[in-house]
Amino acid sequence: AEGRRAADLEEELRVKVPAMQAKEDELRCAQREVEAARHLAEVRAVELGAWERRLALQDQELIDSRQAASEKASESSARDSARGASLEEDARERKREAAAAA
């Protein structure tokens, strides 16, 4: 009876040990996949950070460009206003001269 029991246990071990080893192999494989996924996530996070910095830089460049264009337009408008005032003054001066000559 004990011999039969020992044989049954040996048979059970012969079946279960390879099955457990297969499960361990699956677990190691899953762990490698998790590590690979973590690494990929870290790489993607770095890439995302780089894109965010690029976009922030482009946003700032756009803001600076708009501000420069606005300043240039203001300066141009101020010059045009000054030129217009000068032309008006010239026209008044010519009218005075014409009135004085008449």
Side-chain angles (χ1 to χ4, degrees), residues 13-70:
L13 285 175
R14 256 194 316 272
V15 171
K16 286 188 176 182
V17 167
M20 289 176 68
Q21 288 173 338
K23 290 287 183 189
E24 288 174 350
D25 290 345
E26 288 177 23
L27 179 59
R28 278 191 291 276
C29 182
Q31 287 171 333
R32 284 191 297 273
E33 290 175 359
V34 167
E35 288 302 317
R38 276 192 190 127
H39 177 70
L40 183 59
E42 290 170 359
V43 168
R44 294 290 187 245
V46 169
E47 290 174 348
L48 178 60
W51 276 106
E52 288 172 339
R53 286 187 297 279
R54 256 184 244 129
L55 287 174
L57 181 60
Q58 289 176 349
D59 285 348
Q60 188 58 50
E61 288 173 352
L62 181 59
I63 289 168
D64 293 347
S65 174
R66 285 181 179 166
Q67 186 175 1
S70 176

Side-chain angles (χ1 to χ4, degrees), residues 92-102:
R92 283 193 292 271
E93 182 65 29
R94 280 194 294 278
K95 281 183 184 179
R96 279 192 289 261
E97 290 173 0

